[in-house]
Amino acid sequence: MRSITCLMFTAVIHFAGLSLHAQTSPALFSPAELKEDLNHLRHLITTVHVNPYSELTPVQYDSLFNHISTSLKDSATATDLFKKIRPVLARLSDEHAQLNLKTELLDPIYRSKPVYPPFTLKKEGNTYRIGYWLGNAPPGYKELQPVSINGMPLEKLLRQCALTTTGYPDQRMATALRRFGYLYPWAADAQATEFTITSATGQAITVPGIGLKEWETFLAARQVSACPGRVSYTRYGTTGYINACSFDVQPQGKYSVDSIRATVDGIFEQIKLDGIKELIIDVSRNEGGSTVVGDYLISYIYRQPYHSYQTNWKRSDEYLKLLRSWGFDNASYAAEPVGKVLHFASDRITPETVPNPFKGKAVVVIGPATFSSAMNFATLVKDNNIASLMGQTPVNGHPTSFGEMFYTNLSHTQLFVRFGVKEHIRPAGKTPDNNLRPDIPLTDAQMLDINALIRKVRAIP
């Protein structure tokens, strides 16, 4: 059973429609109301999510929920509940899960005070360094190897920051490093407006915090990628390079499925005219979109039937109601008993007949940013031996993952919750570490050097 998805999400906690000008006091909710929302979330996760126990056992999940419930003794804001239930979403190991907070319910300190450290972190071996500094950086910050922030051990802070995000454990930790200052107040004391960074040698610097607006501007700039053509082609002698930087499609216009297919047709017509012998398809910066685009590319480089993903799908009344609200009434799904996990075995996919199939050597390049349907494409290539994979192991994407989203708002706090009702299992089956590793690893320098890529491809027998 194939699922066509359009998914390009970052696995972090979001604030919906955040406006820094809104200064109204957030509403307080009684302990009973907070517990009703918490129990509703518990019900949804255990009955709607396809596999809520991929990371924690049922007993461990109950313990987590019970601990949160016990802590809800006084009236509190939606922000307070938001902070407490972060680990619940994190522990799903669901890289498409989200937890959103409405603007008017966000406590003022988070939207108007400089409670965010102005830096990211990076790990080098067993030590940490400052990654990127937002604004004016103090002298000597590059030499610092932080071990604590405001007296709290950095390792502990990072573990707590990771639980404010979603995805698999390694993915969450990578996000915690990359967005450290942005996540810090959700993991530690949200009152601090100055931050003392201490190194192992005792060296320390104290810096002022920044506001949410500065962090959101920084993150928005980092998320914008120049990919106007979705799929483009460049010739390098006998080697062709396809930059498949996005699989995003739109209902109509130049990014519609038909338009992108026409673009791909034109590219492979030119590849034939150019007499290309080696072909590089680069999805190392591709964060996903529609599986249709990846499937169509496979049709050009492979002409034998291949195995698709396996799928597990949880039957629930809540998701059936959501389907029907979209105008879909899946009779076979509705007929199954509530709670049953429906398993769909891998199908044999026959590639489409295309006008100018490529007959040379093809290689697919993956990288840390490869995600969602781009990850699916690369996994199909790997597991079916369609082409060699070069590059680096993706950080955000994993070959077996959750998809097809259920979403709702909790009734009192209106917290928006989203997670998967399907588990997409790679054709080769689950692996212990759930990572897609390249056949030919590349260094950072090689990933950025087209000539190095070409030399590697031409050296493949």
Side-chain angles (χ1 to χ4, degrees):
M1 179 179 179
R2 293 285 282 164
S3 175
I4 297 176
T5 55
C6 289
L7 299 169
M8 296 182 67
F9 303 113
T10 305
V12 294
I13 290 175
H14 300 273
F15 311 117
L18 190 61
S19 167
L20 297 179
H21 301 293
Q23 296 295 328
T24 56
S25 297
L28 287 174
F29 300 93
S30 69
E33 290 173 324
L34 296 170
K35 288 181 180 181
E36 281 183 22
D37 277 4
L38 179 67
N39 289 334
H40 185 206
L41 178 63
R42 186 198 298 238
H43 169 77
L44 292 175
I45 284 178
T46 55
T47 62
V48 182
H49 195 280
V50 61
N51 183 13
Y53 308 119
S54 57
E55 190 172 326
L56 296 182
T57 66
V59 171
Q60 289 172 323
Y61 236 132
D62 280 342
S63 177
L64 177 57
F65 273 108
N66 291 339
H67 175 74
I68 297 171
S69 182
T70 301
S71 72
L72 299 175
K73 298 178 180 179
D74 302 311
S75 295
T77 65
T79 302
D80 295 322
L81 185 63
F82 178 74
K83 291 189 71 169
K84 290 178 182 292
I85 63 176
R86 300 164 310 168
V88 171
L89 273 293
R91 298 294 194 179
L92 288 175
S93 289
D94 185 337
E95 59 196 18
H96 287 114
Q98 281 189 5
L99 181 66
N100 289 358
L101 181 62
K102 283 190 174 182
T103 303
E104 59 268 24
L105 297 178
L106 182 64
D107 287 359
I109 191 170
Y110 293 95
R111 50 184 154 95
S112 61
K113 300 292 185 181
V115 296
Y116 299 85
F119 53 87
T120 69
L121 293 171
K122 59 182 178 180
K123 189 171 186 180
E124 296 179 350
N126 294 320
T127 63
Y128 296 97
R129 292 190 179 275
I130 303 296
Y132 187 91
W133 201 282
L134 283 69
N136 297 321
Y141 83 94
K142 288 186 178 180
E143 288 71 42
L144 275 180
Q145 295 183 18
V147 295
S148 70
I149 309 291
N150 283 359
M152 183 176 290
L154 189 58
E155 289 279 2
K156 180 179 179 180
L157 266 175
L158 283 168
R159 287 194 299 271
Q160 293 180 183
C161 283
L163 287 175
T164 70
T165 72
T166 55
Y168 294 91
D170 59 336
Q171 182 180 5
R172 298 197 301 260
M173 184 55 70
T175 302
L177 290 166
R178 191 171 62 250
R179 302 189 172 207
F180 176 75
Y182 177 65
L183 299 173
Y184 176 93
W186 300 99
D189 179 16
Q191 305 294 322
T193 57
E194 287 190 339
F195 304 94
T196 299
I197 311 167
T198 306
S199 71
T201 61
Q203 180 186 2
I205 59 173
T206 299
V207 297
I210 61 175
L212 182 59
K213 183 178 180 180
E214 288 89 344
W215 260 105
E216 290 192 322
T217 300
F218 169 76
L219 294 175
R222 286 295 176 104
Q223 288 173 359
V224 173
S225 59
C227 189
R230 302 298 194 258
V231 184
S232 60
Y233 162 71
T234 306
R235 176 185 177 181
Y236 295 90
T238 61
T239 302
Y241 173 79
I242 292 179
N243 181 19
C245 53
S246 176
F247 287 167
D248 182 38
V249 299
Q250 303 295 326
Q252 56 188 355
K254 68 176 182 177
Y255 297 141
S256 69
V257 171
D258 288 342
S259 294
I260 293 175
R261 285 166 64 100
T263 297
V264 173
D265 289 341
I267 285 173
F268 279 92
E269 181 179 8
Q270 189 62 48
I271 284 172
K272 183 177 181 179
L273 292 173
D274 290 343
I276 295 301
K277 296 180 180 179
E278 309 92 17
L279 180 63
I280 300 169
I281 301 177
D282 190 346
V283 294
S284 62
R285 294 172 292 278
N286 190 322
E287 295 182 342
S290 172
T291 57
V292 169
V293 184
D295 291 348
Y296 200 54
L297 285 171
I298 288 176
S299 295
Y300 267 101
I301 64 173
Y302 197 68
R303 284 161 295 284
Q304 302 298 318
Y306 60 91
H307 288 284
S308 69
Y309 267 68
Q310 307 168 54
T311 303
N312 290 331
W313 188 10
K314 173 74 76 68
R315 166 65 170 91
S316 69
D317 284 339
E318 289 82 0
Y319 189 65
L320 180 61
K321 181 179 179 181
L322 187 60
L323 279 176
R324 287 172 173 168
S325 74
W326 296 336
F328 299 109
D329 196 355
N330 190 318
S332 60
Y333 178 76
E336 296 289 348
V338 171
K340 181 177 180 180
V341 176
L342 314 176
H343 179 74
F344 300 88
S346 176
D347 292 331
R348 292 279 285 174
I349 302 298
T350 300
E352 287 189 52
T353 299
V354 292
N356 294 289
F358 179 65
K359 298 179 181 179
K361 176 170 52 180
V363 172
V364 172
V365 180
I366 58 174
T370 304
F371 187 58
S372 196
S373 60
M375 167 61 70
N376 290 0
F377 163 74
T379 302
L380 291 174
V381 168
K382 170 81 171 181
D383 287 2
N384 288 284
N385 297 310
I386 292 172
S388 297
L389 293 188
M390 286 199 320
Q392 298 178 352
T393 299
V395 173
N396 289 331
H398 293 77
T400 292
S401 62
F402 299 110
E404 194 143 333
M405 298 294 106
F406 168 81
Y407 56 84
T408 191
N409 290 92
L410 301 183
S411 58
H412 296 294
T413 58
Q414 290 299 296
L415 288 172
F416 174 85
V417 180
R418 187 186 73 186
F419 51 72
V421 298
K422 286 184 178 179
E423 183 178 25
H424 300 298
I425 303 168
R426 65 188 297 177
K430 293 184 180 181
T431 57
D433 69 351
N434 196 22
N435 282 301
L436 186 64
R437 303 192 183 281
D439 303 304
I440 305 168
L442 299 178
T443 64
D444 289 345
Q446 289 171 327
M447 291 286 289
L448 298 173
D449 185 350
I450 185 62
N451 292 315
L453 290 180
I454 291 170
R455 288 193 296 271
K456 283 283 189 180
V457 171
R458 290 178 178 173
I460 298 173

